[in-house]
Structure formats: C-alpha cells, structure tokens
C-alpha cells in the first residue's frame, strides 16, 4: 500500500489492481475471466468506499472465483473482512499479501490488527509479520509502534506539522492502535481527526475512504 499519487509523488497500490496476474494475462493472450475479475474488484472497491462493506466482500470473492490468482493480492478484501469482524480470514488474507509483497508495512499492521482481536495484543505481537524498511517515515514509525509497542500520541505529534498525508496516516494508525488496545475514546478521537484532516477529506486514497468507513462501522458520527 502507498499514498494517493494525486497528492504525493509516490505511486499508490490503491490506484492499481493486482499486477502479477495481469502480466501473465498479457503474456498468455488474456481471457474473459481475468477481465471480469478486474471489473468485480473495481466494483468491490467502489462499494467499500460508499460504506457497503458486505457488498464489497461479495465482489472481491466473486473476483477470486473468476480468477483465483487474484486472491494473493487482494489486500482490499482483507480490509473488508476486518470491518465485518471476520478476523481469522482477514489475517489469512494479509499474510498471503505479505508473502507476495514482503515490504508492505501496512498489510503487516493490518494482520496484527486482525490477530489482536483473535488472540490479544501480546500474542499478536509475537506473531507479527516482519517486513522490509518502508521508505515513508510515518509508516516506519507506525510499524515500529505496532511491532514493539509505543505511544500513539508521540506518533501524531511527530507529524503534526508534516505533510498532509503524513498527519492523516499518523492519526489513522494512532486510532487503530488504540482500537487494538480497546481504548474506544482515543480511537474515536484520532480516527475522527484523520477524517477531518485536509488529506482525509479531499483525497481519493482508499485509506481516506477507510477512515470514514471505520466511523460508519463503529456508529460514530463525523458530520
């Protein structure tokens, strides 16, 4: 996962669909099932951004039925599973993704978030998926906080005057960290701040939509 390329120079995995099967598709001449799977993924992403998490999962699962190669790259499906409280399946999805992309910090964190709900924070930390060094300072700091324990307030303060996307991501992951600790009030405060931030309110980044979906799923008003 990377940031929205419309607001930063980094390319975003959220703006592209799984590519390895696409390369194979090009080599072998393509097929209707692959194209239909891509359409299903796009529908699923659109439904998720609209707040229809269950509907998004139906489309992601349909994509896998059409083209099983997609499953190993469907991090979007893992996010939907998390918000449907299907944590074991979510953790499995993120572990598959990290196996294909061993440098993806966010998928490692989301696997932890799923497993913290299943096993508790201590065991989830023992099972933590280690990945390569992230080029993004905010995600390096977030990764260290989830992996080793840390202070979410320090994370947010470190990027309070940083770039817009950095403050958004610091607030989002601070809130998610608090959720893993069952601190609902602090989770609410930081994820609400992520939603209301300039990046969170304007960006087409999938994670900006996720922050709003998080509030919807927790029955938090952001109006």
């Amino acid at each position: 996962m990377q940031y929205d390329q419309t607001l930063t120079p980094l390319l975003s995995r959220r703006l592209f669909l799984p590519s390895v099967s696409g390369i194979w598709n090009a080599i072998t001449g393509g097929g209707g099932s692959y194209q239909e799977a891509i359409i299903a993924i796009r529908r699923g992403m659109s439904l998720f951004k609209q707040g229809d998490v269950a509907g998004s999962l139906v489309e992601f699962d349909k994509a896998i039925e059409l083209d099983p190669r997609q499953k190993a790259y469907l991090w979007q499906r893992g996010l939907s599973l998390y918000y449907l409280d299907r944590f074991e399946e979510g953790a499995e999805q993120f572990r598959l993704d990290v196996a294909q992309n061993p440098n993806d910090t966010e998928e490692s964190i989301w696997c932890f978030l799923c497993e913290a709900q299943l096993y508790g924070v201590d065991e989830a930390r023992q099972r933590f998926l280690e990945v390569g060094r992230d080029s993004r300072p905010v995600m390096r700091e977030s990764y260290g906080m989830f992996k080793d324990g840390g202070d979410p307030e320090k994370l947010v303060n470190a990027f309070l005057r940083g770039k817009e996307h950095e403050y958004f991501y610091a607030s989002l992951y601070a809130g998610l960290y608090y959720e893993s600790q069952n601190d609902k009030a602090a989770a609410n405060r930081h994820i609400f701040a992520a939603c209301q931030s300039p990046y969170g309110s304007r960006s087409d980044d999938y994670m900006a939509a996720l922050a709003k979906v998080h509030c919807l799923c927790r029955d938090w008003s952001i109006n």
Side-chain angles (χ1 to χ4, degrees):
M1 300 181 187
Q2 297 286 327
Y3 305 133
D4 177 4
Q5 66 174 343
T6 62
L7 295 183
T8 72
L10 296 176
L11 293 178
S12 172
R13 279 191 69 208
R14 299 187 187 92
L15 300 180
F16 298 96
L17 296 170
S19 59
V20 173
S21 58
I23 294 170
W24 176 252
N25 185 67
I27 293 171
T28 59
S33 294
Y34 168 78
Q35 296 297 337
E36 291 173 15
I38 295 303
I39 291 169
I41 293 171
R42 288 176 177 152
R43 280 198 303 263
M45 294 175 72
S46 178
L47 287 170
F48 182 88
K49 292 172 77 171
Q50 294 169 37
D52 184 357
V53 180
S56 74
L57 183 62
V58 170
E59 294 298 330
F60 296 143
D61 286 346
K62 185 183 298 182
I64 294 169
E65 290 178 12
L66 290 164
D67 183 359
R69 296 170 298 180
Q70 301 293 343
K71 185 173 183 180
Y73 307 93
L74 266 177
W75 51 266
Q76 303 96 323
R77 179 175 179 268
L79 298 175
S80 295
L81 288 165
Y82 179 83
Y83 286 106
L84 292 171
D85 295 339
R86 292 167 60 174
F87 302 117
E88 186 171 0
E89 294 168 88
E92 177 195 20
Q93 179 66 62
F94 290 120
R95 285 183 175 276
L96 283 173
D97 274 89
V98 171
Q100 298 299 323
N101 182 16
N103 293 316
D104 199 312
T105 300
E106 289 183 80
E107 289 170 2
S108 174
I109 290 172
W110 279 96
C111 183
F112 168 87
L113 289 167
C114 287
E115 293 183 341
Q117 297 296 326
L118 290 169
Y119 312 118
V121 169
D122 291 341
E123 184 171 343
R125 194 159 281 140
Q126 292 176 6
R127 301 166 61 94
F128 202 89
L129 286 171
E130 295 195 25
V131 297
R133 186 176 186 272
D134 200 303
S135 63
R136 303 166 292 172
V138 66
M139 291 315 306
R140 286 201 302 273
E141 294 299 320
S142 298
Y143 174 81
M145 179 181 69
F146 280 93
K147 180 176 179 290
D148 301 319
D151 185 350
E153 303 303 326
K154 288 184 178 179
L155 174 68
V156 173
N157 288 335
F159 296 97
L160 188 61
R161 293 178 176 80
K163 296 177 181 178
E164 288 184 355
H165 64 261
E166 291 180 322
Y167 174 70
F168 166 81
Y169 274 88
S171 297
L172 174 64
Y173 281 105
L176 290 166
Y177 185 89
Y178 278 124
E179 178 161 281
S180 75
Q181 307 288 321
N182 296 315
D183 188 337
K184 295 180 181 179
N188 178 304
R189 176 162 49 88
H190 284 291
I191 294 179
F192 183 83
C195 290
Q196 296 297 317
S197 70
Y199 188 88
S201 60
R202 297 199 311 258
S203 174
D204 287 333
D205 189 329
Y206 201 72
M207 299 306 279
L210 177 139
K212 298 178 181 68
V213 169
H214 187 105
C215 293
L216 178 66
C217 290
R218 303 297 181 260
D219 293 322
W220 300 343
S221 174
I222 57 174
N223 296 324

